[in-house]
Amino acid sequence: MVNAAHMTSRPKTYFLQEAIERGFSAIANRLDPEQSMRPYFLLRLQPEPKLEHHIWDLGDMCSRFTDAYLLGRPVTGSADYAEEEKALLSMLDECDPFLNPFMAGRMLIAYVDQYLDSPTAERKEVVEKLAAAVRENLRHEGDYSYWFRHAEGWNTMDNAVFGDFNPYPTFPLGGIMLALARFTESADAPDCEDLLDRMGRFVLNVSGTFTEEGHYQGHTHSGGILTAAVAIMRRALRTKDEQTVQRMRTVFDWTMRYSSSWGWIPDGVGPDNASCESCSITDAIHLGLLIARNIDPGYYAVLERFARNQLLENQFIHTDPMLTKADPVQKPRFERALYGSWASWSKPGSLDNCTDSVEGCCLGAGVRACFLVWDDIVTKADNVVSVNMALSRNSDWVEVISYQPYEGKLELVVHDAPIMRIRVPDWVDFEDVSVSVDDAVQSLQIAADGYIRLEGLQPGQLVQLVYPMIAVDKVERVSGQDYKVRWRGDTVISVTPSGHIYPLFKREWMNQPSAPAVQGIPYAEQRGGRVHW
């Protein structure tokens, strides 16, 4: 059983939870108290800092910030900013979903969140009413529906546009499809299913977005391409459409050809010298997790690298480099709005191209991405609990205590997991892994999928995996530039070249051989909520 030492402290490795808490604060500080807490879409940094209202404040920001608070609270247990969340919810109901067609999708996602959290008839009706309004605004031909379409023969591989997301037929559809894909997995809503399938047929067969092989070019998130791919994948998994499942898997693999192994995802697949929008990281993580959960668990290694690295590094934790021209009196206000926000543009080694402004959409998306990863660290299916990623969190079945990137050690406190599968890091030689249960070394084999299996576990037992940390230097070409990357396990310690204004991956502090400790059990009560994506 768990000894006393394991009841008093934990390694300080709760990176996702801490990132969400910073995001919560940034959201609260991007609301305008003089306009009933209306969100500011834009934090302008140059030529002088100021918070600006835009068309995207309402249907987009209200939705994303509502989504962030609803998803993030089960992860952190935070009760802060309840009044801000209440104000956002109230404002959300007054938003015009068709001020820009993109708004309808984001609003639907927020309403689906609310339904999943409390699946009442009233909340179901809210989703269905908005879906019906979307149907009225779409055009319908044959067996498909769309907002707009190009002339026959248009395709992204030959006609991709960069710097403008409006030319993409998926731009207004991606969020709508994602919301309805998740909603129809949990609610009996035949009209919503029909609308979802009609949009899906348009994207796949008519729009010119993807080739038959699943290739594309253009804006991954702002053009709605990856968002639509996530929705199509969810629907194809549910309907057991294997051909479409494999096509969407190829979409993810194709995206990885233009991305970095540490999770830098271009919002502009095709040209070199692209930039990464945090929203694109979120879409890629969502699509990758669907593949890992349903097709190939080996993809969890990819997603864990994304989460440990670019997702966290894209969050602003240093404000001075970006606020050099701020008035000293006003500077604290902008610092509070910037700290905890996620970057709208980044290079693989810096945020030097994010000095002009920061958009609020990436803040909401960053919190969502942290939630998506956190929710998949531990899963349960067919009475088997699987520990898929070595990131710290608690759950109803097992508490996951990770010592990475400092030490190669994973501890699991059993709550209710008689049968447990544990993924061994893909950078570790299997023969170097030691597994024990209550200090009794286990003799076992690692399966072809990279998991070990333990049976007969009892509540209170402590499972330990110990393996060596491996530091390696690699050179990787990303978006036309060679980068020297130092890895410690699956954590990036440094990337060279880095920036001059806001360099990323200055993580020398992660090289220490033992994990810093924090007293108590952080986030002990956060074992999961009712909302899952």
Side-chain angles (χ1 to χ4, degrees):
M1 298 301 172
V2 180
N3 61 43
H6 284 92
M7 301 302 293
T8 59
S9 66
R10 293 290 185 270
K12 197 176 188 304
T13 55
Y14 293 82
F15 304 118
L16 297 173
Q17 295 90 332
E18 292 165 358
I20 289 176
E21 288 190 324
R22 290 191 290 266
F24 279 3
S25 174
I27 290 172
N29 284 287
R30 291 182 73 124
L31 307 182
D32 185 352
E34 296 183 1
Q35 293 196 38
S36 303
M37 307 306 269
R38 174 175 174 160
Y40 288 102
F41 169 69
L42 196 70
L43 171 55
R44 190 169 297 284
L45 302 172
Q46 300 288 347
E48 65 179 56
K50 58 180 176 178
L51 287 159
E52 295 182 358
H53 288 300
H54 284 262
I55 183 178
W56 305 105
D57 294 351
L58 300 174
D60 195 7
M61 292 307 96
C62 281
S63 301
R64 291 186 192 257
F65 291 170
T66 296
D67 175 73
Y69 278 129
L70 199 152
L71 298 183
R73 292 200 189 280
V75 179
T76 63
S78 174
D80 295 336
Y81 315 116
E83 290 303 311
E84 288 85 348
E85 183 180 7
K86 182 179 179 181
L88 287 166
L89 282 168
S90 178
M91 193 172 297
L92 177 63
D93 291 333
E94 302 302 319
C95 292
D96 178 359
F98 305 111
L99 192 61
N100 183 293
F102 186 85
M103 308 291 195
R106 306 323 300 188
M107 290 179 66
L108 270 170
I109 289 171
Y111 287 139
V112 169
D113 281 337
Q114 290 182 294
Y115 172 77
L116 296 173
D117 187 55
S118 180
T120 64
E122 292 77 12
R123 290 188 169 181
K124 181 174 184 282
E125 184 180 8
V126 169
V127 176
E128 291 179 320
K129 279 188 174 181
L130 183 48
V134 168
R135 182 186 287 270
E136 291 178 1
N137 280 271
L138 291 175
R139 297 183 179 182
H140 310 281
E141 295 182 19
D143 65 349
Y144 60 87
S145 300
Y146 59 93
W147 215 282
F148 75 93
R149 59 177 294 180
H150 291 288
E152 188 173 349
W154 183 92
N155 65 85
T156 61
M157 293 296 291
D158 295 332
N159 303 286
V161 177
F162 298 97
D164 182 4
F165 45 74
N166 287 291
Y168 293 95
T170 48
F171 157 64
L173 296 182
I176 298 168
M177 295 173 65
L178 177 57
L180 294 183
R182 183 63 187 91
F183 179 62
T184 54
E185 292 168 5
S186 300
D188 181 18
D191 287 347
C192 290
E193 284 195 355
D194 176 68
L195 180 60
L196 172 62
D197 288 339
R198 292 183 66 89
M199 291 186 291
R201 285 190 288 267
F202 167 72
V203 172
L204 288 173
N205 304 328
V206 181
S207 71
T209 302
F210 304 111
T211 68
E212 288 297 323
E213 295 78 19
H215 299 172
Y216 70 94
Q217 289 195 355
H219 288 307
T220 49
H221 174 79
S222 56
I225 294 175
L226 281 185
T227 318
V230 175
I232 292 167
M233 174 64 98
R234 296 196 75 108
R235 183 62 173 161
L237 287 166
R238 183 162 184 250
T239 60
K240 296 181 172 57
D241 180 353
E242 184 61 28
Q243 183 177 359
T244 300
V245 165
Q246 292 305 319
R247 191 174 175 188
M248 292 303 101
R249 178 178 180 172
T250 303
V251 169
F252 181 85
D253 294 341
W254 174 258
T255 305
M256 294 307 98
R257 292 179 55 173
Y258 294 86
S259 305
S260 78
S261 60
W262 60 89
W264 181 91
I265 313 293
D267 187 31
V269 162
D272 289 339
N273 197 31
S275 68
C276 169
E277 183 181 8
S278 295
C279 297
S280 297
I281 300 175
T282 303
D283 282 344
I285 284 175
H286 197 162
L287 183 57
L289 287 172
L290 291 173
I291 298 169
R293 192 187 313 153
N294 297 282
I295 306 169
D296 182 355
Y299 280 68
Y300 278 122
V302 177
L303 282 308
E304 184 169 348
R305 286 196 293 270
F306 287 10
R308 288 186 176 277
N309 298 301
Q310 197 73 44
L311 174 60
L312 295 178
E313 286 291 290
N314 258 33
Q315 187 179 39
F316 287 97
I317 57 173
H318 306 295
T319 58
D320 282 347
M322 316 304 279
L323 295 172
T324 57
K325 297 183 179 180
D327 177 86
V329 176
Q330 293 293 322
K331 186 176 180 180
R333 180 190 184 197
F334 302 125
E335 287 176 329
R336 291 191 296 271
L338 179 60
Y339 179 78
S341 290
W342 266 267
S344 305
W345 299 272
S346 69
K347 294 297 183 182
S350 78
L351 301 184
D352 285 12
N353 60 330
C354 200
T355 58
D356 289 338
S357 61
V358 181
E359 299 174 348
C361 54
C362 293
L363 169 52
V367 173
R368 168 171 267 264
C370 289
F371 164 82
L372 290 171
V373 174
W374 177 90
D375 200 39
D376 249 39
I377 294 169
V378 183
T379 56
K380 183 177 181 180
D382 300 324
N383 294 318
V384 178
V385 174
S386 296
V387 179
N388 304 306
M389 292 176 280
L391 294 160
S392 295
R393 67 153 291 186
N394 207 353
S395 75
D396 285 336
W397 313 300
V398 61
E399 181 189 357
V400 182
I401 308 166
S402 176
Y403 287 74
Q404 288 183 217
Y406 311 100
E407 305 173 49
K409 183 163 67 173
L410 185 66
E411 295 183 332
L412 307 167
V413 180
V414 179
H415 301 320
D416 181 14
I419 305 173
M420 190 187 304
R421 298 168 65 249
I422 309 160
R423 188 180 64 81
V424 176
D426 66 340
W427 42 269
V428 176
D429 289 335
F430 293 163
E431 58 268 23
D432 294 333
V433 179
S434 173
V435 180
S436 64
V437 178
D438 287 344
D439 295 328
V441 176
Q442 304 295 298
S443 177
L444 44 83
Q445 291 184 336
I446 298 175
D449 62 2
Y451 283 73
I452 61 173
R453 182 182 176 101
L454 298 173
E455 298 186 4
L457 296 172
Q458 300 297 316
Q461 286 190 308
L462 178 66
V463 178
Q464 285 188 321
L465 274 71
V466 179
Y467 40 89
M469 290 301 299
I470 300 172
V472 296
D473 290 332
K474 297 181 179 180
V475 175
E476 184 171 334
R477 190 165 187 83
V478 185
S479 198
Q481 170 77 51
D482 287 337
Y483 292 90
K484 182 179 179 181
V485 187
R486 171 153 291 186
W487 292 85
R488 185 174 175 84
D490 53 8
T491 300
V492 172
I493 303 299
S494 66
V495 172
T496 307
S498 60
H500 302 289
I501 300 170
Y502 198 118
L504 299 179
F505 298 104
K506 297 300 181 180
R507 291 168 148 186
E508 293 79 6
W509 50 276
M510 289 184 171
N511 279 319
Q512 57 186 300
S514 59
V518 59
Q519 290 301 305
I521 307 176
Y523 310 103
E525 301 305 316
Q526 282 60 67
R527 298 190 173 194
R530 293 179 291 272
V531 182
H532 302 280
W533 280 84

